[in-house]
Amino acid sequence: MSNTLRPYLNAVRSTLTAAMCLENFASQIVEKHNVPEVEAGNSQEVLLNPLVVSRNENEQVLIESSINSVRVSIRIKQADDIERILAHQFTRFLMMRAESFIILRRVPIKGYDISFLVTNFHTEQMFKHKLVDFIIEFMEEVDKEISEMKLSLNARARIVAESYLSQFV
Amino acid sequence: MILLEPNSFVLEETLLARFTSEKPEIVDITLVDFDNVIYHVQTSAEQRTVLNLSVEMKYYDEVRAYGAEDILRREYGDYLVPTVNPQYQFTLQFNLEQLPADKAALAKHVSLIKRNVLASSFVRAFEYWESQQEGAGPLMATHYRDSEAIYVQAQHDRVTVIFSTLFKEEVDRVLGKVFLQEFVDARRQASIQNAPQVFYSSREPPLEIRHLPDLRQDESVGYVSFVLFPRHFANEEAREKTISQIQLFRDYLHYHIKCAKAYMHSRMRMRVKEFLKVINRAKPDRVTAASDKRTATGRYMRPHLRQPTSPQQGESDW
């Protein structure tokens, strides 16, 4: 299964690097306002075509780009009940701390589990290749973390059951 | 500490402190135990050397029907007194000047009071099994918590104990399912092949109790059945041990579910810290050890700390 992981991440990395060419763009609609155009969605000419990179139907990345901002939404693999609540808890945990993560969006886009919003101000203040690194590393780590938590949960359940029932013997 | 203890440790400590103290002080302490049991330790208003322990157990009337009063009288008969305050179900009274020599043992015995009272339906079921009657014994229900109950039924070759337990949150429900699935599968291991058999259903009550009127049958309730075989209660020692363990099952399960949640939280917190480190690498204006530049003679230049200086003082200009 992991032989599709590297090409998937490489595809996302190159798409993001290309999409993150952002420049400042003052709002055309309201004077003296500066909004991320991908969030406002008002001026059609500054929005680019959205792109979906998918590994399979359960794991996808949606990249919506515009002249001054990029929105990246990730759908995490959730095979069963336990993985679903683990992913849900984890992303909620992260999104509550969105302020310290700077580029994290507090609410994910519909159909996806977590979203990032990168604006031209972010790319001016931070290294672009490091931002892309962060998103790629995030995708890898989240999957690893969820499967580790699931394993530790199963081990814990086994020990709990064993110690309880061995008292009766 | 994986296993929960059947006695109330805090009650034991409190009583022991009172029993062994030099001078009898006036106390009025309220303690709680699992399953909404409240203990009230109070010095009597009339005499300072008399200590009252009142116990509030809302389901006492139910277990009284299964012989709880006989058990109470047998174990603590010397200390039982009629209850004054209607909030409490029964009261023990201790005269601090006339205690038996082994105070620690008495304190420990008293701290098992909840366990002994709740044991009444189990004791009756085991007695039914001993009497070797044909057919199933009476189905004894104890509603020891709001919306949760223990059902005990004896038959000629086994005793079935059914727990109905409530999972208030979705996360609890999923974790509970994982834990209970392990309970069901644990018998595959050779070392615990002789443990009681466990069955679990998440919404449907098991056959033995399906006819009862007030059963909950929605998403949040789970039914766990234990089948105890004669080897678990044939002799006296095994019987006592089984009763102590089986009573605490629901609290044990929920305690470990909460521990699992706490562990996941601490893992997520650690992961968040790691991610923060990665994102901070993206910022260029960081002060690291490498940005303190050094000359060959050892003088340090610190650009980030450099104050605007006059031309005469500019030794560290570069």
Side-chain angles (χ1 to χ4, degrees):
Chain A
M1 222 0 225
S2 65
N3 57 353
T4 57
L5 182 63
R6 284 290 129 216
Y8 174 57
L9 293 177
N10 286 337
V12 176
R13 182 187 288 270
S14 38
T15 317
L16 277 179
T17 317
M20 253 189 240
C21 296
L22 308 171
E23 61 184 39
N24 189 22
F25 188 77
S27 169
Q28 291 179 318
I29 300 176
V30 184
E31 203 177 311
K32 294 196 194 176
H33 275 206
N34 196 318
V35 301
E37 289 296 333
V38 74
E39 292 287 346
N42 287 323
S43 317
Q44 288 305 312
E45 65 270 19
V46 298
L47 296 178
L48 302 175
N49 285 332
L51 186 76
V52 173
V53 184
S54 62
R55 188 179 177 186
N56 48 51
E57 67 261 4
N58 298 326
E59 289 184 69
Q60 288 179 344
V61 175
L62 171 69
I63 301 173
E64 299 159 287
S65 184
S66 70
I67 189 166
N68 65 352
S69 45
V70 178
R71 192 162 62 188
V72 185
S73 308
I74 304 176
R75 189 187 298 171
I76 304 172
K77 176 173 72 122
Q78 295 157 43
D80 56 14
D81 266 347
I82 261 284
E83 283 188 15
R84 196 157 19 96
I85 60 154
L86 284 177
H88 181 79
Q89 294 276 79
F90 194 38
T91 51
R92 206 182 58 159
F93 205 80
L94 289 168
M95 287 190 277
M96 275 204 269
R97 290 156 180 76
E99 207 150 297
S100 49
F101 279 105
I102 309 174
I103 58 170
L104 193 62
R105 203 170 180 262
R106 277 193 186 273
V107 173
I109 301 299
K110 203 148 174 241
Y112 293 86
D113 297 310
I114 193 165
S115 297
F116 296 89
L117 177 70
V118 184
T119 63
N120 60 299
F121 299 108
H122 297 148
T123 51
E124 282 163 21
Q125 286 165 357
M126 299 195 274
F127 293 127
K128 222 165 35 168
H129 59 286
K130 293 275 183 198
L131 283 180
V132 174
D133 273 348
F134 171 71
I135 296 181
I136 301 294
E137 187 157 332
F138 177 86
M139 285 166 65
E140 272 181 281
E141 288 298 315
V142 155
D143 278 338
K144 221 189 294 181
E145 184 68 23
I146 289 181
S147 35
E148 269 174 20
M149 282 206 275
K150 189 169 166 198
L151 271 177
S152 71
L153 190 67
N154 284 330
R156 182 184 279 262
R158 196 167 319 127
I159 293 178
V160 159
E162 219 176 309
S163 20
Y164 187 73
L165 290 176
S166 55
Q167 291 177 297
F168 287 97
V169 172
Chain B
M1 178 192 78
I2 294 188
L3 299 167
L4 297 178
E5 296 174 344
N7 64 331
S8 167
F9 183 68
V10 62
L11 182 65
E12 186 183 335
E13 288 280 301
T14 316
L15 286 177
L16 196 58
R18 299 281 86 74
F19 290 166
T20 54
S21 69
E22 294 292 325
K23 202 166 63 76
E25 321 103 358
I26 302 193
V27 290
D28 188 352
I29 307 175
T30 311
L31 306 164
V32 290
D33 199 357
F34 284 116
D35 307 326
N36 304 327
V37 173
I38 302 183
Y39 304 116
H40 191 195
V41 180
Q42 193 179 34
T43 318
S44 165
E46 301 90 44
Q47 293 171 278
R48 285 183 64 169
T49 52
V50 169
L51 195 67
N52 284 331
L53 167 68
S54 317
V55 180
E56 176 186 336
M57 218 186 261
K58 291 203 173 77
Y59 51 93
Y60 185 62
D61 291 328
E62 254 186 324
V63 284
R64 199 190 295 172
Y66 308 137
E69 202 141 352
D70 300 331
I71 296 185
L72 259 187
R73 215 166 287 137
R74 189 186 71 208
E75 301 281 334
Y76 309 103
D78 302 331
Y79 307 105
L80 256 179
V81 296
T83 309
V84 170
N85 189 339
Q87 187 197 356
Y88 299 107
Q89 270 67 38
F90 50 90
T91 312
L92 301 182
Q93 197 173 67
F94 303 98
N95 191 337
L96 295 173
E97 288 162 353
Q98 294 170 5
L99 292 174
D102 193 352
K103 297 189 180 133
L106 176 65
K108 194 167 179 85
H109 190 202
V110 175
S111 70
L112 285 166
I113 193 166
K114 164 179 159 287
R115 177 246 178 239
N116 287 331
V117 170
L118 197 53
S120 45
S121 56
F122 297 97
V123 166
R124 185 156 287 192
F126 294 148
E127 281 166 4
Y128 182 89
W129 172 83
E130 262 184 352
S131 66
Q132 300 270 325
Q133 294 175 33
E134 272 307 313
L139 180 65
M140 296 178 273
T142 312
H143 293 83
Y144 64 124
R145 295 177 76 100
D146 309 329
S147 330
E148 299 188 26
I150 308 181
Y151 304 95
V152 187
Q153 187 169 39
Q155 275 148 349
H156 67 100
D157 62 344
R158 66 181 73 154
V159 171
T160 316
V161 182
I162 303 175
F163 290 87
S164 78
T165 179
L166 200 64
F167 295 113
K168 288 205 184 98
E169 297 174 1
E170 171 81 37
V171 180
D172 282 1
R173 230 168 281 159
V174 177
L175 289 178
K177 219 180 288 190
V178 173
F179 277 78
L180 289 167
Q181 197 54 43
E182 280 296 327
F183 268 91
V184 174
D185 294 339
R187 275 181 118 229
R188 276 180 303 178
Q189 284 186 17
S191 55
I192 44 180
Q193 254 176 2
N194 297 317
Q197 212 171 3
V198 187
F199 298 103
Y200 165 64
S201 71
S202 85
R203 189 201 275 229
E204 303 247 319
L207 290 165
E208 293 90 344
I209 57 170
R210 215 167 270 190
H211 59 278
L212 290 178
D214 56 346
L215 289 178
R216 287 185 71 135
Q217 294 201 29
D218 50 39
E219 282 289 316
S220 55
V221 76
Y223 292 95
V224 188
S225 326
F226 281 79
V227 179
L228 300 172
F229 300 115
R231 61 190 312 277
H232 301 129
F233 49 84
N235 64 347
E236 194 60 37
E237 188 193 324
R239 195 178 289 198
E240 294 303 311
K241 204 160 149 233
T242 300
I243 293 180
S244 298
Q245 302 306 341
I246 197 106
Q247 274 179 14
L248 290 170
F249 169 69
R250 185 255 174 225
D251 297 319
Y252 178 77
L253 178 71
H254 279 252
Y255 165 67
H256 278 284
I257 289 179
K258 290 186 174 76
C259 282
K261 284 206 284 196
Y263 175 67
M264 288 204 303
H265 258 263
S266 65
R267 268 196 90 114
M268 292 199 278
R269 217 176 274 277
M270 203 181 61
R271 194 47 68 182
V272 164
K273 217 166 27 148
E274 296 291 312
F275 282 146
L276 276 175
K277 259 192 251 173
V278 178
I279 193 104
N280 284 334
R281 271 190 245 146
K283 295 186 191 147
D285 307 321
R286 287 162 312 129
V287 176
T288 59
S291 71
D292 284 352
K293 295 191 168 57
R294 232 182 76 155
T295 65
T297 52
R299 195 155 48 223
Y300 275 89
M301 293 182 231
R302 297 196 177 85
H304 58 277
L305 290 180
R306 192 152 48 119
Q307 300 293 330
T309 60
S310 62
Q312 278 80 12
Q313 293 177 355
E315 272 193 332
S316 55
D317 276 333
W318 42 317

